[in-house]
Amino acid sequence: MDFESTVPESSVPLGDERIEGEISNEIPLIRIRPAKGWGGFNLRDLWAYRELLYFLTWRDIKIRYKQTILGVAWAIIQPLFAMLMFTLFFGKLAKMPSDGIPYPVFAYAGLLPWTFFSNAVTNSGNSLVGNSNLITKVYFPRVIIPGAAVCAGIVDFLIASTILLGLMFYYGIALTWSFLIFPLLMVITTLLALGVGMWVSALNVKYRDIRYALPFLIQLWMFATPIIYPLNIVPERFRWVMLINPLSGLVEAFRATLLGRPFNWVEIGLACLITFALLAYSFYVFRRMEKSFADVV
Amino acid sequence: MKAVKVENLSKQYSIGVSRAPYATLRDSIAGFANAPLKLFRRNKRASDSTIWALKDVSFEINRGELVGIIGRNGAGKSTLLKVLSRITEPTRGGVDIFGRVGSLLEVGTGFHPELTGRENIYLNGAILGMKRQEIERKFDEIVAFAEVQKFIDTPVKRFSSGMYLRLAFAVAAHLEPEILLVDEVLAVGDNNFQKKCLGKMEEMSSGGRTVLFVSHNMPAVLRLCNRVILLDQGQLLADGSPQQVTRQYLSSSTGSQAERVWPSAEIAPGDTVARLRSIRVCDKAGKTIEATDIRQDFRIEVEYWNLQRRLRPSVLLIFTNEDGVCLFQSNDFNNNVWADTRREPGLVRSVCKLPGNFFSEGRVLVTVGIGTYNPNLLHAIERDAVAFQIFDRSEGDGVRGEYVGEWPGVIRPMLDWEINTKAGNPTASSYQEESLHT
């Protein structure tokens, strides 16, 4: 009796058959050659590993606030307190103009994409070095690592957005149809963060100076972006300088969608253009440096 | 049916990189400023600062083969696996791989201590290239294999190291690529765990999968593989049957480790009392050997210069196995006549005779020293000066008899057993009362 019950009903052979089937059906050919330039940037490979992007993003989110007392609240505390400080010093004391909307809403609407962007760039910039154990032991498209670090920031962004909705409700500002552009802007900001983050992460593998320079550069970048001040206080003839920074156009557009104000399509178009150019350049640099990661990191 | 085709594969590393793994921006700027100067020096520098970890390696592997890759440290074994698993790119040449590759260069890559066992199975599976569906399908199997059902929702940082290792291996073992690359995973874990690993690899290759297995563990290579590739200094030295290639490897003189000769007094270990000249492992006939049959007697021969009359130096040998376990120490003052002999300055040869059926299978490292006692002083020491390999052919007349599986123990002595018998059946009363002693 005992004997019979240990003979499997069908589950084991079935599983095996399926695997055998997988083997004989499609045998992928992997060609390994010294890569040149764009040669090896394999989009199909990237697609095949899309689940890894999901799992690494999920890991980053999962462990970020482990062993913290406040947990996910940190996603809100950061922009919230920055907004309170800015409101006090720039809004109340310095009487900074804010396009005719209450300064807290104005500042928070700028801080929201900025916090996402700066965290995404910082995290992805350090991601390759931080995951060196993966890079030296397993193959997968390396872009996934900085990519996951950027994606993990989106959750924080969404959590922090609730505060903005609260603020708008408090000040009696209604959402308008232009809010529908919001996801598109989010995508572009994410791509920009990916472009910068990827580039920084690759450089960081080779030059560890980046780790020290990055926080400082990010801080400078914040002042070069219209977050505490509106873009229109910059004199007209210098405004193009501001717009070389694609984040300027994006932050202004973020405010416009939330507060239902007219878009400056030229600014947005320019921001997109610069973002895509940066992303392409960054992919190229990353690809060129990628092959030496395992040897250098 | 081909599984792997390697053609003129070469991989160059610059030594500068290995010395200081990452550059700083300052170095690069300095390098840029010095660039014009370099034009004049280039010829000298270029060849010095690079090494070929792999040089023009070519071979083909058919589906279902279980191939061992052996060689000394730095022979290029790990680099080969890294290129095959696409972790690093070749400098020249290329590889075609027909099928999905799974590489196990480490057990538990990407495990995160804060995540639970369940979460780590998914994460590690994805890192190793499994699809989520696939992991879900095998989840219960993996947990059962690892024997961690109770703790599956506990963060793995609370796992014992054994549980951690079992879980990590369980995930890897359920990866089902057409081609599996394994690097010394067996070096970790206890015997039981290693047996599980070996068993799983055997199972995979008999299921039509191709396995490449890098190892220093000759017994395992001999037992598992049906073909062995020998690398030396980045080049393919031999490719053939396991017996033939492992024998070539063990007896080859390339950087012989069975013999160590110090050509001059300046570099030889020693002081004003005694100085080592050579040490070697040899058979009864005096021929240097790298490997010996477990049943055979052999010797370790030490030569040194005695430089004084006053003291009575003694040669000491310390034997260690590959896991770093010290097996024993032996001194030549065990020869009582020699211990009481007055010394004259000159050359001394001291030979230690080692019996067959004594060491266990595997590699043994020998540390040699010269000491004087009362007061205790060490005049010369050379750690792991020579090494030898003990192999067990399992031909039936050894300690393990006909048994070919794992045989535990750091030594494997052939002991005398005395056996007595008496015919009859036990009854309730006679069970204890019967006696074989007469």
Side-chain angles (χ1 to χ4, degrees), chain A residues 28 30 32 51 62 206 209 287, chain B residues 23 25 89 95 97 99 132:
Chain A
I30 302 164
I32 302 171
E51 282 189 347
K62 194 100 190 176
K206 201 167 177 200
D209 306 71
R287 175 58 209 156
Chain B
L25 212 50
E89 272 184 357
V95 183
I97 297 177
R132 195 221 288 249

Side-chain angles (χ1 to χ4, degrees), chain A residues 63-78:
Chain A
I63 62 179
R64 183 172 312 154
Y65 300 116
K66 282 251 170 155
Q67 291 214 349
T68 59
I69 296 172
L70 298 177
V72 186
W74 279 110
I76 295 176
I77 291 168
Q78 244 188 317

Side-chain angles (χ1 to χ4, degrees), chain A residues 15-16 18-20 22-24 26-35 42 45 48-52 54-56 58-59 62-63 66-67 133-140 142 204-211 287 290-292 294-297, chain B residues 1 11 13 17 21-26 28 63 82-101 103 105-106 109-110 112 114-115 119 122-123 126-133 135 137-138 157 176 178 207 209:
Chain A
D16 274 351
R18 183 135 71 170
I19 292 146
E20 287 298 327
E22 273 172 21
I23 289 185
S24 45
E26 33 142 6
I27 295 178
L29 167 66
I30 302 164
R31 299 176 72 85
I32 302 171
R33 297 285 181 277
N42 195 336
D45 217 19
Y49 277 91
R50 63 193 182 279
E51 282 189 347
L52 183 59
Y54 165 78
F55 276 113
L56 286 180
W58 167 83
R59 176 196 70 173
K62 194 100 190 176
I63 62 179
K66 282 251 170 155
Q67 291 214 349
N133 59 329
L134 292 188
I135 292 172
T136 53
K137 297 292 181 209
V138 177
Y139 169 79
F140 52 86
R142 304 312 189 197
N204 201 359
V205 171
K206 201 167 177 200
Y207 306 107
R208 299 295 161 94
D209 306 71
I210 301 292
R211 198 186 338 184
R287 175 58 209 156
E290 187 179 33
K291 52 188 157 192
S292 62
D295 305 335
V296 176
V297 79
Chain B
M1 187 82 181
K11 170 78 187 178
Y13 281 110
V17 167
Y22 45 82
T24 62
L25 212 50
R26 208 190 64 179
S28 282
R63 241 168 80 180
K82 281 193 172 179
V83 173
L84 291 180
S85 47
R86 290 195 286 170
I87 291 165
T88 182
E89 272 184 357
T91 310
R92 282 205 312 252
V95 183
D96 288 342
I97 297 177
F98 303 86
R100 205 161 69 124
V101 179
S103 57
L105 305 198
E106 181 186 71
T109 305
H112 198 286
E114 295 283 354
L115 298 177
E119 291 165 341
Y122 279 93
L123 179 64
I127 286 169
L128 293 175
M130 284 193 226
K131 294 263 172 289
R132 195 221 288 249
Q133 276 184 321
I135 304 171
R137 206 176 66 216
K138 293 177 187 158
K157 66 177 176 183
E176 283 168 334
E178 284 92 51
R209 291 168 220 283

Side-chain angles (χ1 to χ4, degrees), chain A residues 133-208:
Chain A
N133 59 329
L134 292 188
I135 292 172
T136 53
K137 297 292 181 209
V138 177
Y139 169 79
F140 52 86
R142 304 312 189 197
V143 190
I144 288 179
I145 290 182
V150 171
C151 291
I154 296 176
V155 176
D156 281 2
F157 175 85
L158 294 176
I159 294 168
S161 301
T162 55
I163 295 288
L164 182 70
L165 294 178
L167 277 175
M168 288 168 67
F169 181 75
Y170 179 79
Y171 285 101
I173 302 165
L175 279 178
T176 60
W177 284 111
S178 60
F179 184 69
L180 294 176
I181 310 281
F182 187 89
L184 179 74
L185 291 174
M186 193 56 212
V187 169
I188 295 165
T189 312
T190 307
L191 290 178
L192 179 64
L194 181 65
V196 179
M198 221 161 64
W199 183 59
V200 170
S201 68
L203 284 181
N204 201 359
V205 171
K206 201 167 177 200
Y207 306 107
R208 299 295 161 94

Side-chain angles (χ1 to χ4, degrees), chain B residues 6-67:
Chain B
V6 175
E7 247 178 330
N8 298 324
L9 188 68
S10 302
K11 170 78 187 178
Q12 191 178 41
Y13 281 110
S14 75
I15 297 177
V17 167
S18 69
R19 208 176 288 146
Y22 45 82
T24 62
L25 212 50
R26 208 190 64 179
D27 293 342
S28 282
I29 293 166
F32 180 72
N34 285 334
L37 294 173
K38 265 198 195 142
L39 283 178
F40 300 100
R41 297 187 233 152
R42 186 192 286 159
N43 317 351
K44 260 192 177 173
R45 283 270 170 108
S47 58
D48 286 353
S49 55
T50 58
I51 55 159
W52 289 97
L54 287 175
K55 190 122 210 277
D56 294 324
V57 173
S58 304
F59 59 86
E60 281 184 16
I61 291 173
N62 292 322
R63 241 168 80 180
E65 279 192 292
L66 208 165
V67 181

Side-chain angles (χ1 to χ4, degrees), chain A residues 110-125:
Chain A
L111 275 166
L112 196 58
W114 169 256
T115 310
F116 162 70
F117 177 80
S118 66
N119 283 342
V121 169
T122 309
N123 290 337
S124 67

